[in-house]
Amino acid sequence: MNVLGIETSCDETGVGIYCASRGLLAHCIHSQIEVHAEFGGVVPELASRDHIRKTLPLTEWALKEAGLNRNELDGIAYTAGPGLAGALMAGASIARSLAWSLDIPAVAIHHMEGHLLAPLLEREAPDFPFIALLVSGGHTQLVAVEGIGRYQLLGESLDDAAGEAFDKTAKLLGLPYPGGPELAKLATRGDPHRFKFPRPMIDRPGLDFSFSGLKTFALNSLNVFDMEERDEQLKADIACAFEEAVADTLAIKCRRALQETGSRTLVLAGGVSANQHLRRRIDREMQKMGARAWYPRPEFCTDNGAMIAYAGCLRLMAGERAEPAFGVRPRWPMGELKPPTVTP
Ligand code: KG4
Ligand code: ZN
């Protein structure tokens, strides 16, 4: 079964083709950084228009790369939410029209399910069940994963997502969009001992997070200094302390989640899981407790079409088909997901 996956939930157009027997055949990502950079963040209308421009050319490219023609596709998966309404609608309309014209089934995929399954695209991959830490621009969640569509939310951020905190802190340090990777780059030149940021909510029981205070802490740390004192080193030192606090907090809560559930397998996914400092910190924590963490390759941490093709392939193989009428779900709690439903 060859499945085309289309991802257009935010500021990246991603297309992938996954084959049930041969694995990932092709994938490509078009980033909209250039479109949004001058505005310092994602402009939804510009995002939708760019997805409309790029989705079909990327699909043609992926088909060629995979050595397939359109008629050899057996199904089309697309991100139906959560995300920006217009951006989702662009991908959904193209995916559904293409599926209709080729007379093949379509399947609507939850963006975070795509992220969650991305580490399973690797040759060496963990087995169900596992605990997943989803850390993206919009979500920070700890989830107990029993199998496809069998997800139990253990904890989540009560305010900013980890990626959002990275992006906002980057902005107040004067770094360009997209902030997370820029802040991580700057942090490598920072002194980890100059500032000590708090580790939010670690003294409270439970597995929830709160990251908005760290951004304020960064702002207050910066404001102690006069404008002329705010040099690159100061910003790097703040970035370093911020990154350390996020990584430490996430690692502590991951340890707690594994302890509470008795699991020894942790999966990290979502844009922030590309962060090298976080990976090292999590690996240290896992080593201490005889557990193991699994990560997607860096290009599959952030938004991509491969993860949607893969999730779609699993659901289509299990017999799921999208309803004839379609819409998108800009807000779509992951708890509403179910195992694949067989459509007669
Ligand atoms: O998963 P993703 O591509 O999109 C969402 O579903 O939100 O995640 C994007 C988020 C952004 O907040 C971005 O700044 C953050 O992931 N991010 C990073 C890194 N790479 C991406 N944050 C920290 N370090 C990175 N290396
Ligand atoms: Zn994402």
Side-chain angles (χ1 to χ4, degrees):
M1 174 181 269
N2 297 317
V3 178
L4 172 71
I6 295 178
E7 155 62 39
T8 64
S9 66
C10 189
D11 56 352
E12 262 132 3
T13 316
V15 167
I17 299 178
Y18 189 86
C19 169
S21 56
R22 294 192 289 152
L24 187 66
L25 302 183
H27 91 99
C28 49
I29 302 168
H30 166 74
S31 161
Q32 298 182 349
I33 289 180
E34 278 180 18
V35 176
H36 306 294
E38 66 174 295
F39 304 100
V42 181
V43 182
E45 178 60 25
L46 296 183
S48 316
R49 289 188 207 180
D50 206 54
H51 287 309
I52 291 169
R53 270 195 295 270
K54 297 296 176 355
T55 303
L56 278 178
L58 290 185
T59 300
E60 291 302 333
W61 183 92
L63 282 166
K64 203 159 157 213
E65 179 73 9
L68 299 176
N69 64 50
R70 286 182 185 195
N71 296 327
E72 290 171 288
L73 289 175
D74 301 294
I76 301 184
Y78 62 96
T79 305
L84 301 170
L88 290 167
M89 208 57 207
S93 313
I94 294 170
R96 295 298 295 261
S97 317
L98 202 52
W100 186 78
S101 70
L102 296 171
D103 196 21
I104 55 175
V107 62
I109 298 297
H110 190 291
H111 180 75
M112 297 313 290
E113 177 171 81
H115 274 307
L116 184 117
L117 298 174
L120 310 192
L121 279 163
E122 301 306 322
R123 195 178 292 273
E124 206 198 337
D127 289 323
F128 297 119
F130 52 75
I131 301 299
L133 173 69
L134 299 175
V135 269
S136 71
H139 295 78
T140 301
Q141 297 181 325
L142 269 164
V143 183
V145 180
E146 290 292 324
I148 177 132
R150 295 169 62 205
Y151 312 128
Q152 189 201 342
L153 183 65
L154 303 175
E156 64 184 333
S157 179
L158 304 178
D159 41 54
D160 291 354
E164 191 179 356
F166 262 94
D167 294 341
K168 288 178 175 172
T169 304
K171 204 165 194 174
L172 66 89
L173 290 175
L175 299 172
Y177 153 89
E182 290 291 328
L183 188 148
K185 225 186 292 165
L186 183 63
T188 58
R189 300 199 295 273
D191 171 3
H193 305 294
R194 184 165 174 196
F195 295 97
K196 177 81 182 159
F197 277 45
R199 273 53 176 160
M201 291 185 67
I202 56 165
D203 297 332
R204 282 199 231 166
L207 295 167
D208 287 334
F209 305 92
S210 164
F211 288 113
S212 69
L214 288 180
K215 160 199 70 194
T216 314
F217 201 89
L219 183 63
N220 292 341
S221 306
L222 191 66
N223 283 344
V224 169
F225 297 86
D226 292 333
M227 277 301 179
E228 57 274 17
E229 291 174 311
R230 295 183 192 180
D231 57 11
E232 279 305 293
Q233 191 56 51
L234 173 67
K235 291 180 183 176
D237 295 343
I238 291 175
C240 184
F242 167 84
E243 185 182 56
E244 178 105 20
V246 174
D248 219 30
T249 307
L250 291 171
I252 290 167
K253 291 285 165 96
C254 285
R255 179 185 63 208
R256 201 178 283 178
L258 293 193
Q259 280 166 344
E260 285 181 10
T261 57
S263 173
R264 284 288 167 273
T265 311
L266 178 72
V267 157
L268 257 76
V272 183
S273 69
N275 186 281
Q276 291 302 320
H277 182 77
L278 173 65
R279 289 182 177 215
R280 284 194 298 272
R281 179 67 186 81
I282 293 273
D283 284 341
R284 266 208 319 274
E285 200 68 36
M286 293 301 108
Q287 218 171 13
K288 275 195 272 175
M289 58 188 303
R292 177 166 178 193
W294 302 77
Y295 309 91
R297 71 184 84 161
E299 67 202 289
F300 295 159
C301 289
T302 44
D303 295 348
N304 65 87
M307 67 185 193
I308 303 303
Y310 178 64
C313 187
L314 295 185
R315 285 191 173 270
L316 284 165
M317 281 203 305
E320 182 161 327
R321 303 286 182 265
E323 303 269 326
F326 76 97
V328 293
R329 298 274 313 265
R331 291 180 183 275
W332 186 2
M334 208 173 161
E336 288 181 17
L337 284 183
K338 298 207 166 39
T341 36
V342 180
T343 316

